[in-house]
Amino acid sequence: MLRTTNLCKIEVINTMKKLILSLFVAGLALAASAEDGHLLWLRSQPVNKAKVITKKSSPTIQIAKEELETYYNGERVTLKLDGKMPDDDGYRIDGTTITARRDVGLLYGAYALLRMQQTSALGHQPSALLESHPTYSLRLLNHWDNPNGTVERGFAGRSIFLNPDPERMKIYARANASIGINGAVLNNVNAKPEALKTESLQKAKQIADQLRPYGIKVYLSINFASPIKVGGLTTADPLNADVIRWWKDKVNEIYKMIPDFGGFLVKANSEGEPGPQDFGRTHADGANMLGKVLKPHQGIVMWRAFVYAPQSPDRANQAYLEFMPLDGQFADNVIIQIKNGPVDFQPREPYSPLFTAMKKTPMMVEFQITQEYLGAANHLVYLAPMWKEFFSFVKPASLKAMAGVANIGDDTNWCGHHFAQSNWYAFGRLAWNPDLTSEQIAEEWLAQSFDMKAAANSQLLSVMLDSREACVNYMMPLGIHHIFAGTHHYGPEPWYAPRGVRADWTPPYYHKADSIGLGFDRTMNGSANVKQYPEALCRMYNDINTCPENLLAWFHHVPWDHRMKSGRTFWDELCHKYDDGVREARHFLTVWDSMQPYVDSQRFEEVQRKLRIQARDAEWWRDACLLYFQTFSHRPIPQDMDHPVHNLDEMMKFNIPIGMYENPAQGYTK
Ligand code: GCV
């Protein structure tokens, strides 16, 4: 009896020991695996092994040295400046010697070497000879941050610039420098005049000082009426001598504080913002006045072409109509900043025809990294394929620069969704080299952001590469556009058209559904938008039989029974596209669920929650759009697909909010 009891005790003690040990091991594993995404793609652990040899020292070279000495796992790296290299930010890596013309080139070279180390499994050899030069000298993030800390179309918390915390600024600067981003516009293009008050400039100076060693210049968005609103003048007429003097003094004040200030970004005469047209002047008059004032300081003006008037029969025509007559009239330090598409960052648009029409004006493209129209921070949508699509029509060399509307806020993981970090990453990599493929960039990002086995990586790679087309499918396939909810741009509201709201801010203006068909007739018989494209494209888009099907309802009012290449009618094809999108969104979730063994628990769960939202939203999109369009088509939903599970009348009463399942995004301000 006694013996048995003792044996039992021993067993209990052993079991407890085992339990404690396993809890300890599990605890360790958990601690090791907990990741919150705060370090972005720069998650390497210090190895503190390399010795870096360099003759020159500067704050930028010092950072390059520290990065390599901390994270490079070779013995020795040499950093060399070479005045014979091309005069740009490029670098050469020969074994473990990095050579560059500029200090910042050495920093970019250091990050490139570290990237090779992190992605070596992809077959990049650290010892390979590599010389790389940026396609664009200006690679800018546009932050739409407001002085009160909100971020317009931001879904990742509040502005990181509200109280620029040095630790956060350092991660931000490292991340940008690691992918070659060299400029940040600190405030919203819907600029408050206060942005130019001395107190605000002092804050900009503080940020500029923190970013400078990483090769990043700061820029500001300005309100064109600032001479009135800040300066107390009675006019902001760009040809008025007092106005010009006010801008000169303001610019001098800025450069005293920030000697390497980059320049101004201007949204003028657009969506109610003031501009030169308010004083009977042109965009060129306004932009050139600012250009002249900035010129002695080597500053630039980025003047946006995002303009449209409420009464126009076709919003897509307008930027061209306003800017083409001014081609060749802009000063040489003015760049016209044009959104990739002619309407507004839709999941799919054709390229803006201004890019191929303007021949005598420096231009830059504005992409939107924040997912205003692609599921906010809830949907996994990798945007590189969309930007590459743009570059398949617009030659990179025809542009001067690239800007991206940032998806960054003070959320722990910066971008709201762990995978949204890949869009920040992809933007920077493409601004350096638009010839990189979406696949290369996604592979690099995955290799640096997770520690997965190759097979798992390749499944995630497919998810990323398919995600943009999936989003197009479940939101607005076959060229449909701008059928978003009226009060935000997250869910569908193709029926939204309250009295009193400008027509071009309502979906029926764009989809034009009726008993005949669906889509906006932009052919020569319609708004003639096709005419703004080069002749061959014009011809192709104008003919419903040659127009690419993925833009069909963009350029045509497509009859419901129009025969598609698949043999289906347009209506049936539309139904299938929506259903494909839903299936794809569900498939992304299934793939992710199988990643659990390879991903740290925190990021696994956070991404899983978002993918579940995405799959539910996709279903909501399909049901809302198909049931609503069916009231015009009067055709049945095909039998060989999943049928809607919601009722239209119920959906029409409910406006799916961005934060339906999560905390609402704080950013939306309009
Ligand atoms: C910053 C769209 C967005 C606005 C944005 C505007 C622009 O209309 O919805 O939030 O304003 O584009 O790019 O200026």
Side-chain angles (χ1 to χ4, degrees):
M1 184 69 188
L2 187 73
R3 218 174 145 255
T4 323
T5 315
N6 276 345
L7 271 180
C8 275
K9 266 191 194 159
I10 290 165
E11 256 173 45
V12 169
I13 288 167
N14 280 343
T15 315
M16 279 179 67
K17 271 188 191 160
K18 270 190 208 151
L19 192 70
I20 289 167
L21 189 70
S22 61
L23 280 176
F24 179 70
V25 171
L28 273 185
L30 202 68
S33 68
E35 284 204 46
D36 56 14
H38 194 55
L39 295 178
L40 297 155
W41 47 90
L42 299 170
R43 302 158 49 251
S44 299
Q45 293 298 313
V47 279
N48 299 318
K49 189 168 160 201
K51 176 93 193 96
V52 173
I53 319 288
T54 169
K55 281 198 188 137
K56 191 186 156 193
S57 181
S58 71
T60 303
I61 295 180
Q62 190 53 31
I63 295 171
K65 188 168 182 290
E66 275 167 23
E67 291 283 358
L68 291 166
E69 290 187 337
T70 312
Y71 299 107
Y72 189 57
N73 59 21
E75 301 288 333
R76 188 186 159 98
V77 182
T78 307
L79 300 180
K80 269 200 207 153
L81 287 171
D82 177 356
K84 291 189 294 302
M85 280 187 69
D87 192 9
D88 63 19
D89 294 343
Y91 56 84
R92 185 171 58 235
I93 301 177
D94 188 356
T96 53
T97 300
I98 303 175
T99 314
R101 167 92 175 235
R102 301 179 181 166
D103 294 6
V104 76
L106 293 179
L107 182 61
Y108 292 145
Y111 284 121
L113 189 61
L114 292 171
R115 180 162 58 240
M116 287 176 181
Q117 172 177 290
Q118 290 311 107
T119 56
S120 55
L122 303 173
H124 303 183
Q125 289 311 314
S127 61
L129 175 68
L130 167 78
E131 180 155 347
S132 182
H133 296 273
T135 299
Y136 302 119
S137 57
L138 298 169
R139 308 173 292 274
L140 306 179
L141 287 181
N142 288 185
H143 291 267
W144 285 358
D145 294 16
N146 296 312
N148 66 1
T150 55
V151 180
E152 182 150 348
R153 311 305 179 183
F155 311 105
R158 292 169 66 77
S159 169
I160 55 167
F161 302 127
L162 188 60
N163 300 303
D165 158 56
E167 264 319 294
R168 211 170 229 282
M169 281 300 114
K170 187 175 167 186
I171 300 177
Y172 171 79
R174 277 185 84 206
N176 280 332
S178 76
I179 48 177
I181 289 173
N182 68 351
V185 182
L186 302 180
N187 60 323
N188 191 351
V189 286
N190 290 332
K192 301 273 184 263
E194 298 86 279
L196 290 181
K197 285 195 172 159
T198 305
E199 315 79 270
S200 312
L201 295 178
Q202 266 150 1
K203 196 179 228 183
K205 173 195 161 33
Q206 202 190 330
I207 298 166
D209 290 345
Q210 287 168 330
L211 302 184
R212 185 172 299 112
Y214 290 85
I216 302 165
K217 282 188 182 179
V218 304
Y219 299 72
L220 290 174
S221 297
I222 56 128
N223 181 298
F224 200 78
S226 300
I228 304 172
K229 297 196 175 145
V230 182
L233 302 185
T234 52
T235 178
D237 179 349
L239 303 191
N240 176 289
D242 291 338
V243 170
I244 299 172
R245 196 167 316 112
W246 187 86
W247 280 112
K248 263 193 190 155
D249 291 346
K250 191 41 86 180
V251 164
N252 285 338
E253 183 190 349
I254 297 175
Y255 278 92
K256 266 202 200 105
M257 291 174 155
I258 310 172
D260 58 349
F261 179 69
F264 292 146
L265 171 62
V266 193
K267 172 174 177 177
N269 294 120
S270 159
E271 297 190 326
E273 295 298 321
Q277 292 172 348
D278 304 347
F279 309 95
R281 312 295 182 193
T282 66
H283 286 291
D285 293 330
N288 292 347
M289 180 274 292
L290 292 172
K292 205 163 168 196
V293 169
L294 285 159
K295 181 101 179 172
H297 307 276
Q298 280 83 53
I300 61 160
V301 178
M302 292 164 290
W303 191 272
R304 295 174 91 227
F306 178 65
V307 290
Y308 62 104
Q311 60 281 6
S312 162
D314 187 359
R315 173 171 167 181
N317 276 344
Q318 296 190 59
Y320 181 104
L321 295 178
E322 269 190 51
F323 278 83
M324 268 311 282
L326 301 174
D327 191 19
Q329 292 184 27
F330 291 95
D332 61 4
N333 62 338
V334 172
I335 309 178
I336 302 303
Q337 180 165 316
I338 309 166
K339 290 188 182 185
N340 58 289
V343 170
D344 194 8
F345 298 136
Q346 298 300 290
R348 170 164 280 118
E349 292 191 44
Y351 76 90
S352 166
L354 266 181
F355 286 110
T356 41
M358 289 216 288
K359 302 284 184 214
K360 294 175 269 176
T361 301
M363 293 176 288
M364 60 193 286
V365 61
E366 178 179 318
F367 291 129
Q368 195 179 42
I369 310 171
T370 188
Q371 291 166 236
E372 173 180 355
Y373 294 103
L374 290 105
N378 284 344
H379 294 200
L380 188 167
V381 186
Y382 172 56
L383 299 173
M386 180 162 88
W387 302 332
K388 290 292 293 183
E389 191 170 290
F390 167 83
F391 282 121
S392 71
F393 290 92
V394 177
K395 286 198 194 82
S398 65
L399 306 178
K400 286 282 265 200
M402 221 170 109
V405 180
N407 61 351
I408 297 165
D410 71 356
D411 272 6
T412 305
N413 73 14
W414 297 88
C415 302
H417 192 309
H418 292 289
F419 276 77
Q421 296 179 354
S422 68
N423 292 328
W424 177 3
Y425 184 86
F427 170 78
R429 296 290 286 134
L430 283 174
W432 183 276
N433 179 6
D435 290 334
L436 290 173
T437 65
S438 303
E439 188 168 350
Q440 274 171 295
I441 298 171
E443 271 184 346
E444 271 182 27
W445 179 79
L446 279 169
Q448 294 169 88
S449 302
F450 296 97
D451 308 305
M452 293 192 191
K453 296 218 165 61
N457 248 341
S458 82
Q459 286 190 65
L460 276 187
L461 182 64
S462 305
V463 166
M464 287 177 74
L465 293 175
D466 294 344
S467 59
R468 184 275 184 135
E469 203 59 40
C471 178
V472 170
N473 283 342
Y474 63 69
M475 285 189 181
M476 34 200 95
L478 302 175
I480 307 173
H481 50 287
H482 226 314
I483 55 171
F484 293 94
T487 48
H488 56 65
H489 293 150
Y490 184 67
E493 253 183 7
W495 50 81
Y496 175 81
R499 228 178 288 143
V501 173
R502 347 179 345 178
D504 59 349
W505 285 352
T506 69
Y509 174 94
Y510 300 96
H511 64 65
K512 301 204 184 309
D514 59 17
S515 59
I516 297 164
L518 179 73
F520 201 125
D521 184 357
R522 294 195 165 101
T523 67
M524 297 306 287
N525 298 324
S527 75
N529 173 257
V530 289
K531 214 170 156 214
Q532 297 184 350
Y533 289 88
E535 213 186 313
L537 277 181
C538 170
R539 241 181 292 121
M540 181 173 83
Y541 291 149
N542 194 51
D543 182 342
I544 196 166
N545 295 310
T546 55
C547 182
E549 291 191 341
N550 61 15
L551 288 173
L552 209 55
W554 182 282
F555 286 114
H556 295 266
H557 190 65
V558 192
W560 296 116
D561 287 329
H562 172 75
R563 199 53 67 187
M564 303 292 285
K565 293 200 180 85
S566 62
R568 294 184 181 128
T569 63
F570 175 67
W571 167 252
D572 282 1
E573 186 84 351
L574 187 71
C575 293
H576 276 284
K577 285 281 176 200
Y578 271 108
D579 199 47
D580 288 350
V582 175
R583 279 170 209 278
E584 284 165 303
R586 285 200 196 121
H587 171 69
F588 299 161
L589 176 61
T590 310
V591 172
W592 183 254
D593 283 348
S594 73
M595 295 294 140
Q596 188 158 18
Y598 315 112
V599 184
D600 52 281
S601 53
Q602 183 173 345
R603 287 190 299 169
F604 175 76
E605 278 162 27
E606 286 171 356
V607 171
Q608 187 187 51
R609 286 178 68 78
K610 300 268 183 183
L611 284 167
R612 286 177 177 162
I613 295 171
Q614 184 170 0
R616 292 199 293 260
D617 284 351
E619 199 171 70
W620 184 277
W621 268 96
R622 178 196 63 195
D623 292 4
C625 296
L626 289 185
L627 292 175
Y628 171 72
F629 291 138
Q630 195 179 28
T631 64
F632 298 92
S633 79
H634 300 294
R635 280 151 177 82
I637 308 265
Q639 281 307 311
D640 54 346
M641 59 170 269
D642 285 345
H643 280 212
V645 294
H646 298 93
N647 294 312
L648 183 60
D649 53 347
E650 285 158 17
M651 298 186 99
M652 286 177 77
K653 279 189 227 134
F654 188 80
N655 182 347
I656 185 175
I658 301 180
M660 183 150 101
Y661 313 100
E662 303 272 314
N663 291 330
Q666 303 167 24
Y668 183 65
T669 57
K670 253 175 123 185

